[in-house]
Every structure is written in C-alpha cells, then in structure tokens.
C-alpha cells in the first residue's frame, strides 16, 4: 500500500470587523454558526495534495481547485501523514461533484443529532473521508485540526491504536 502525505489547511474565521467589511450573508451566517457552538476559530477545512485543494463549499459543492487560488495566510497548516493513496482517490472519485450538505451543518454540526445526507458533504467531511477517518460526518474544522496536531505528536507505531 502506498502512503501519501497531505496538508490540512484550517481556515480561521474572520473577526467581527472583517465579517462586516466583506459580508456575504450565506457564508457569513454559516461561518458564525459553525464556530459558535464549538468555541473555535476554525470554520473551513481544505486538504492539499500536489498543488490541489480538496473540499466542499456552499457555492461549488465538493470540488478540487488549484491551491494557488487560496490565501495561505488565512489558514493554519499542518501535515497529515500516512494516508492510503488508493483509499484517498477512491473516496475522491465517490465524492467529487456532489452537492454541499446543508442538512449536516445544522443537524450534525450545530445541533449534534448526527443526521446527515450520505450523498452530500461538508468541508470537514470531505477531508475526514479523504484521510481515512471513520464517521467522517462527525468531524468539524476544529476537531480535524486538533486531531492532526495530536496524531503528529505521536510516534508512528502509536497511531495504529487510535
């Protein structure tokens, strides 16, 4: 099995002043709702591999874009090691061009009922699926960022027991 390394890009939520400066109602309300119940600064996740950023957005659904189109200074970046290459691309082929999961944002991420559509995806769900995590719909940008920071502090032999 070939393993690959990617980068997890966790987007920091804008300050209230930045929110109103370039306010987009749909994105502004959603980023506020995503960060509010979790007391976090992160509201969006991207997984970067070989110049491409994989994620899901309100406007595009599940997509990959050139990483050069993102503003790296808006993200905290950590390395993600030991991703199964075959599983990564099989998961991507299954998710690409699917719609954004609005239901998951409210019923799984905010209210925590763990109700989501199995054929639509939010950003953290795309990233969690690509890196091979179980229950990908239960992750949010903060938990992904914290999980990877934790796993990267472990020795490779300890990772298999988590």
């Amino acid at each position: 099995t070939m393993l690959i390394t990617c980068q997890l890009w966790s987007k920091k939520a804008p300050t209230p002043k930045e929110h109103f400066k370039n306010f987009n109602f749909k994105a502004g309300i959603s980023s506020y709702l995503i960060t509010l119940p979790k007391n976090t600064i992160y509201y969006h996740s991207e997984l970067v591999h070989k110049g491409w950023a994989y994620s899901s957005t309100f406007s595009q659904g599940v997509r990959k874009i050139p990483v050069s189109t993102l503003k790296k200074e808006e993200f905290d970046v950590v390395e993600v090691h030991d991703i199964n290459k075959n599983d990564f691309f099989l998961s991507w082929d299954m998710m690409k061009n699917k719609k954004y999961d609005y239901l998951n944002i409210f019923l799984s991420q905010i209210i925590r009922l763990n109700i989501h559509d199995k054929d639509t995806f939010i950003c953290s769900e795309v990233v969690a699926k690509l890196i091979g995590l179980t229950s990908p719909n239960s992750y949010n940008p903060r938990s992904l960022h914290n999980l990877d920071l934790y796993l990267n502090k472990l020795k490779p032999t300890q990772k298999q027991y988590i």
Side-chain angles (χ1 to χ4, degrees), residues 6-98:
C6 297
Q7 291 181 329
L8 170 65
W9 289 32
S10 302
K11 190 168 189 175
K12 297 173 267 191
T15 65
K17 184 178 180 180
E18 292 168 333
H19 256 301
F20 291 109
K21 182 179 175 189
N22 300 312
F23 192 72
N24 170 309
F25 183 77
K26 202 182 225 183
I29 296 299
S30 64
S31 66
Y32 178 76
L33 291 173
I34 292 166
T35 58
L36 182 66
K38 294 163 192 63
N39 190 23
T40 180
I41 64 167
Y42 301 117
Y43 77 98
H44 180 67
S45 300
E46 298 273 350
L47 191 66
V48 174
H49 177 63
K50 293 195 174 184
W52 292 98
Y54 298 81
S55 192
S56 183
T57 65
F58 291 112
S59 60
Q60 298 174 301
V62 180
R63 54 81 179 133
K64 77 175 186 179
I65 58 172
V67 74
S68 60
T69 62
L70 300 174
K71 297 178 183 172
K72 192 170 184 176
E73 65 274 6
E74 294 178 349
F75 294 83
D76 285 341
V77 178
V78 291
E79 296 286 320
V80 185
H81 302 281
D82 301 332
I83 300 169
N84 182 303
K85 183 179 180 178
N86 292 336
D87 291 347
F88 176 97
F89 287 107
L90 284 172
S91 293
W92 173 249
D93 286 341
M94 188 267 314
M95 291 185 292
K96 69 182 174 187
N97 303 318
K98 300 284 185 177

